[in-house]
């Protein structure tokens, strides 16, 4: 696998054009056939690979932060008569199983981000299908708020994965067809087995698209619909655009470093030790200060760094199976600073909570405040669906408070030191955690619940007990009693307990761990999002892996060769 | 694979003992080590294979019908110090992938049936763990209403699948631990990686069991708890026990025949053509008549036959990938009889509806009425999770009304003839379907919705439109307009359309079809049941299939050999 970088910016785009016209942005997909991320395939017919999707993700992010005036986004194609042919089949056929699965996951996250922008940012996406949208191309349209299809007797929408390739649509198509667009299940079944697709009036009648538009009226109707969408947008007011400046990153063979986030990669133990550093200075008094800081504002910077780190490690370090999370005060290893007289929480923890409170106070009135919180929400969701064991290590000098406490709540297991490390610093303040407003609602998981509510599923008393400590600094014994951490070993047991947990994890079947975590992390209700990641992804993983798809005579390999796939016909 | 028969009865049991003491039944698991269904493994430590579970399923069914006085069921072990060690590992290691998946599915259905008896039949199950319950053994306990564990410093509950075998607990364990018993997700994670299990007070504190009981007080407390459970049971009164007499069945290489249900197996086209025949005589006037008919009562007999057929075809005919469903009047191919003056619905359809109404009228007052309806519910759910394409064919002489209409609503696609087959019988009554009370609530799918509501998900108007036709006979054009059937071809197009649908299905990847159907059939809300079948099963399928579990050096094969599994460490 090549090393993949997710950082990009519009001047570097090969495959997308971004144009802004007042409140309407247009994202035009015009894939460079020769611009594949790895050699061996041509991106014909606006088909895409991970590189194309990295640019789309970047554009969607920038529209949120750098385009406060944009209230509707049109996604269309720069090619003639084809909107998008979906994921490139030659790429899929040649890719390893982990690559395919990871590619689908990232693609799914971007589609969910599009829906999040529509639902929560006042940037509704409109799919303008000026030609056929098949497979992943139609799935991209399904993630949009509305779908317009040109009515020209040849343009259709289709999900040809099953009949042509022997796999499933891998980016939410099946779920969104029935659960979002409410296509009747038997019609959906027929549609998904008909490789030639459906267009015209039937596409509308079956709810596959919202509207068909004759080519002669295309520009006029599209402009009308996108302006209409913009005019009803709930995009919040606020200050000027924030430029997402290039993320400073130092990558070596065994480390990834950003300004506030770093990771040491221990390949022997298959662990990435991730540390997030708290704010070095107090939060500003008002959003004006946040605008002044721009992309360097601590919560925005940390979200960007975490986001990039997650994507980097997921894609480039598949054998690093466990990620530990630590936090540290910005003044070094000790989160408590001299100016903090409370004696409990460190100064960094207070600063985290102050940033959280500042953003939440303006969540309903300022676009930037909301965008930063939504970005944290999406980044934490990315962590939730990451196929790595997550372990939080809470020690003296850490600042697991509010938004940073979510990292511990997202973990599969957490260890919090009771007392201090005697030999290191017997005068240190013991580790403490603080529940804050960010833990009580604004950062829900894909299941629609907070991480606290998921943790205490079916136990409202324990949930209330934890929630009502908000603002209090909790040391290990109390945190364990409240159920906020898994284990609270003391100095004597710490090294051994943590070592065993990490080494054990490395000894288990990576596949079984992925399945276990995917099941336990998402207790409780299911949503379109959890269905896509939990149900659809699992089926797709299995189907991708079977010889009927990926074997030498499987449908994915046979496609385009003129040979028929040779199936094991047993139904499983 | 050996041919497997699911029909059995208590005198034939090798592995279970059923004892009744007033309102309390005790099911004792005492597995015959040498009694495995296929050669090659010994069922040590009360481990089980499909044969053991077939007996459990039979016992659970008989408790419902043949033991109206039973109001609580204790599940315990006849061995010393071991309750049940779960599915036999040697059996799993040697079994083919389809066998493993099918085995888990059936086992899951029986556990769900236990929960259904607890919730809806007033027969609460109590797991009396008189020794260690590990893996599938603990999962069986998890399906019970309450779990008692002996407190003897050695007996524990455990889910050692991940650490020992590199797979997941495959019969609902992960889902029930967090979603039913509300074990905190980080504790659940720890528990599921700790092969030695957890017993004593910690098992109670973590909610893994309800109560621990010292061995000296075991009998006393168990009796107290089971009597207590029986005393609060909502088991309905009614008539005497109904004996589930041996199901008459004729099985040839290419057919399966029962009294009311038959299947022709067309191996070349990979289709089973299933026909269900309507009642030959009118429904009795009251439940007294149903008691008099006993097991030969039409709705009970049909449910038993369908149930056995589904299990038979699933297990023994994995290459028959499509099942078509037809219904027929009992007087031959024509459902209308001379005595029916309405001119619309056939006499058989009316008789189906009359049976439906009779049972529903006594659903809240008579145990047998309720049990027959619940049996239909479970049988239809079995169909929903069957990995075969289901196609309903609705032609003149059929009787798709009420409970039988559910077969068409469960299908992935349905065809209804518009008009008649001119060459066959141009005077025939055209095909008609009738929505009845059974379609409006009593037979929900695993997602908690009726099949009608799932069909019209997100379209309350269409749902109401279909529901309000209840009792009307609907011919093809009207049924299609209402969205109750997928296609309504006429005589000229029928053969070609149906042929293409069936042949196309046989040409597609069987794996992809299974995934597609599993996603489309369960649109809408998710429940513990749909999570088990949709999410957990899909992950488990994938994990089972990967070399890390089932390869020559996988954990499942390495277990017990003294060799360590050799894992591909890449996280997917």
């Amino acid at each position: 696998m090549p090393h993949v970088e997710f950082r990009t910016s519009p001047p570097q785009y090969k495959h997308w054009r971004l144009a802004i016209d007042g409140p309407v942005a247009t994202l035009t997909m015009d894939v460079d056939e020769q611009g594949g991320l790895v050699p061996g395939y041509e991106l014909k017919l606006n088909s895409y690979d991970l590189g194309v999707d990295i640019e789309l993700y970047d554009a969607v992010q920038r529209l949120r932060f750098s385009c406060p005036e944009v209230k509707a986004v049109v996604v269309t194609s720069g090619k003639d008569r084809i909107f998008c042919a979906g994921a490139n089949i030659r790429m899929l056929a040649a890719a390893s199983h982990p690559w395919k699965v990871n590619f689908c996951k990232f693609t799914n996250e971007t589609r969910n981000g599009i829906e999040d922008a529509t639902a929560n940012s006042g940037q509704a996406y409109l799919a303008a299908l000026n030609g056929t949208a098949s497979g992943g191309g139609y799935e991209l349209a399904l993630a949009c708020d509305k779908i317009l299809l040109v009515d020209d007797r040849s343009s259709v929408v289709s999900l040809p994965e099953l009949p042509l390739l022997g796999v499933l649509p891998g980016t939410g198509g099946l779920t969104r067809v029935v659960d979002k667009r409410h296509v009747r299940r038997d019609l959906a079944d027929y549609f998904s087995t008909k490789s030639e697709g459906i267009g015209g009036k039937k596409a509308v009648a079956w709810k596959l698209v919202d509207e068909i538009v004759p080519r002669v009226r295309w520009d006029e109707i599209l402009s009308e619909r996108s302006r209409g969408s913009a005019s009803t947008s709930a995009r919040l007011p606020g200050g000027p655009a924030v430029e997402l400046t290039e993320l400073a990153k130092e990558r070596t063979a065994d480390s990834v470093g950003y300004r506030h986030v770093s990771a040491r990669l221990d390949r022997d133990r298959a662990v990435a030790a991730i540390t997030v550093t708290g704010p070095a200075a107090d939060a500003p008094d008002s959003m004006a200060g946040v605008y002044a800081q721009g992309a360097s504002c601590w919560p925005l910077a940390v979200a960007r760094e975490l986001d990039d780190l997650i994507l980097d490690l997921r894609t480039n370090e598949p054998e690093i199976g466990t990620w530990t999370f630590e936090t540290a005060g910005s003044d070094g290893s000790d989160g408590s600073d001299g100016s903090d007289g409370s004696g409990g929480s460190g100064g960094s923890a207070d600063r985290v909570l102050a940033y959280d409170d500042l953003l939440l106070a303006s969540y309903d009135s300022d676009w930037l405040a909301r965008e930063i919180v939504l970005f944290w929400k999406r980044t934490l969701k990315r962590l939730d669906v990451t196929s790595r064991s997550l372990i939080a290590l809470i020690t003296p000098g850490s600042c697991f408070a509010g938004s940073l406490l979510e990292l511990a709540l997202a973990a599969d297991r957490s260890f919090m030191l009771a007392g201090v490390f005697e030999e290191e610093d017997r005068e240190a303040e013991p580790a403490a955690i603080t529940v804050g407003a960010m833990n009580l609602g604004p950062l829900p998981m894909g299941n629609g619940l907070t991480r606290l509510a998921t943790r205490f599923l079916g136990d409202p008393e324990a949930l209330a007990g934890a929630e009502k400590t908000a603002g209090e600094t909790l040391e290990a014994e109390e945190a364990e009693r409240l159920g906020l951490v898994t284990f609270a070993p003391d100095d004597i047991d710490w090294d051994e307990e943590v070592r065993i947990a990490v080494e054990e994890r490395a000894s288990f079947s990576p596949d079984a761990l992925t399945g276990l975590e995917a099941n336990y992390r998402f207790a409780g209700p299911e949503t379109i999002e959890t269905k896509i990641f939990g149900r659809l992804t699992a089926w797709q993983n299995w189907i991708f892996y079977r010889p009927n798809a990926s074997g030498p005579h499987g449908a994915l390999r046979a496609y385009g060769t003129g040979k028929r796939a040779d199936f094991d016909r047993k139904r499983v």
Side-chain angles (χ1 to χ4, degrees), chain A residues 362-374:
Chain A
S362 297
Y363 183 84
D364 286 324
S365 59
D366 184 287
W367 69 266
L368 179 59
R370 177 173 296 201
E371 287 302 349
I372 295 173
V373 175
L374 292 173

Side-chain angles (χ1 to χ4, degrees), chain A residues 54-303:
Chain A
I54 287 173
E55 293 181 8
L56 174 61
Y57 172 56
D58 184 76
V60 172
Q61 285 290 88
R62 287 180 193 277
L63 280 166
R64 288 166 168 265
F65 287 95
S66 311
C67 306
E69 78 283 11
V70 166
K71 297 176 175 176
V73 182
V74 172
V75 181
T76 194
S77 155
K79 309 282 190 216
D80 202 30
R81 301 197 175 260
I82 180 83
F83 171 72
C84 167
N88 187 273
I89 296 166
R90 298 252 176 279
M91 178 275 292
L92 283 178
S96 72
H97 183 65
W99 178 275
K100 281 195 281 257
V101 172
N102 199 53
F103 163 66
C104 284
K105 184 176 287 176
F106 174 72
T107 307
N108 269 318
E109 290 172 314
T110 302
R111 275 73 189 147
N112 289 348
I114 285 173
E115 288 183 332
D116 182 62
T118 300
N120 300 312
S121 285
Q123 290 188 337
Y125 278 66
L126 184 73
L129 310 184
N130 50 337
T132 286
S134 49
Y138 179 50
E139 289 180 292
L140 173 58
L142 285 168
C144 296
D145 188 40
K146 292 272 180 266
I147 306 176
L148 261 63
L149 173 64
V150 68
D151 188 19
D152 61 0
R153 290 166 177 271
S154 76
S155 295
V156 297
V157 296
S158 71
L159 290 176
E161 286 88 341
L162 184 140
L164 293 189
L165 308 173
V167 298
L168 298 186
T171 47
L174 299 188
T175 306
R176 288 200 177 88
V177 161
V178 287
D179 276 302
K180 179 181 180 180
R181 296 195 60 90
H182 300 132
V183 176
R184 227 174 63 211
R185 52 164 283 210
D186 55 336
L187 302 177
D189 178 283
Y190 177 78
F191 169 64
S192 310
T193 59
K194 194 178 156 71
S195 55
E196 60 270 40
I198 291 178
K201 288 202 184 78
K202 188 183 271 188
V204 177
W206 286 20
K207 305 187 198 168
L208 295 165
V209 307
D210 292 287
E211 192 175 354
I212 48 170
V213 179
R215 209 170 268 283
V216 290
R217 294 197 59 204
W218 181 253
D219 292 343
E220 168 205 350
I221 298 280
L222 183 57
S223 161
E224 216 168 90
R225 295 292 174 271
S226 57
R227 303 271 148 189
S229 206
S231 72
T232 59
S233 158
R235 182 88 173 147
L236 295 176
V242 169
E243 198 201 337
L244 297 179
T245 50
E246 194 185 335
L247 200 60
K249 174 177 182 180
E250 211 164 316
R251 183 71 158 94
T252 70
D254 296 320
S255 72
V256 193
Y258 308 87
R259 179 147 178 231
H260 309 282
V261 176
S262 67
R264 275 177 298 108
L265 312 183
D266 181 341
R267 294 184 194 283
D268 292 340
R269 298 167 71 228
V271 178
I274 299 170
T275 303
V276 180
T277 308
D282 287 345
D285 294 331
S286 70
M287 282 303 296
V290 175
Y291 281 98
Q293 292 175 349
S296 70
C297 176
W298 182 83
L300 176 53
V302 171

Side-chain angles (χ1 to χ4, degrees), chain A residues 216-464:
Chain A
V216 290
R217 294 197 59 204
W218 181 253
D219 292 343
E220 168 205 350
I221 298 280
L222 183 57
S223 161
E224 216 168 90
R225 295 292 174 271
S226 57
R227 303 271 148 189
S229 206
S231 72
T232 59
S233 158
R235 182 88 173 147
L236 295 176
V242 169
E243 198 201 337
L244 297 179
T245 50
E246 194 185 335
L247 200 60
K249 174 177 182 180
E250 211 164 316
R251 183 71 158 94
T252 70
D254 296 320
S255 72
V256 193
Y258 308 87
R259 179 147 178 231
H260 309 282
V261 176
S262 67
R264 275 177 298 108
L265 312 183
D266 181 341
R267 294 184 194 283
D268 292 340
R269 298 167 71 228
V271 178
I274 299 170
T275 303
V276 180
T277 308
D282 287 345
D285 294 331
S286 70
M287 282 303 296
V290 175
Y291 281 98
Q293 292 175 349
S296 70
C297 176
W298 182 83
L300 176 53
V302 171
R304 290 184 73 199
E305 294 174 7
L306 270 174
D307 191 55
D308 187 73
L309 178 66
I310 294 168
L311 294 172
D312 185 322
L313 294 183
R314 264 197 204 164
T315 310
N316 299 311
E317 305 291 348
E319 299 209 1
I320 303 271
T322 299
W323 296 357
T324 63
F325 278 93
E326 295 179 77
T327 58
S330 63
D331 41 334
S333 65
D334 183 352
S336 67
D337 65 8
S339 68
D340 177 41
S342 75
S345 162
S348 286
D350 288 341
R351 290 196 286 261
V352 172
L353 294 171
Y355 264 113
D356 287 356
D357 290 343
L358 175 64
L359 296 176
L360 291 180
S362 297
Y363 183 84
D364 286 324
S365 59
D366 184 287
W367 69 266
L368 179 59
R370 177 173 296 201
E371 287 302 349
I372 295 173
V373 175
L374 292 173
F375 191 10
W376 267 86
K377 181 185 74 173
R378 294 193 303 280
T379 305
L380 288 162
K381 283 183 179 183
R382 225 195 255 292
L383 202 54
D384 293 330
V385 299
T386 291
S387 58
R388 300 293 188 281
S389 298
L390 308 175
I391 298 181
L393 302 174
I394 308 173
T395 54
S398 65
C399 48
F400 282 99
S403 44
L404 288 189
L405 180 61
E406 288 291 310
L407 296 173
L409 297 173
D412 298 300
R413 215 178 278 185
S414 54
F415 294 87
M416 183 168 182
L417 184 73
V420 298
F421 292 123
E422 295 285 338
E423 293 201 0
E424 215 168 86
D425 179 3
R426 60 192 318 162
E427 305 303 318
E429 294 281 336
I433 62 171
T434 312
V435 172
M438 280 289 185
N439 310 118
L440 306 181
L443 303 173
M445 298 175 61
N447 63 5
L449 302 182
T450 63
R451 283 176 191 77
L452 274 183
T454 303
R455 187 174 188 82
F456 297 115
L457 190 75
D459 192 346
E461 212 173 298
L463 175 60

Side-chain angles (χ1 to χ4, degrees), chain A residues 516-529:
Chain A
L516 181 84
E517 293 154 5
N519 277 276
Y520 278 161
R521 289 179 190 168
F522 294 93
E526 298 262 353
T527 62
I528 286 182
E529 233 176 274

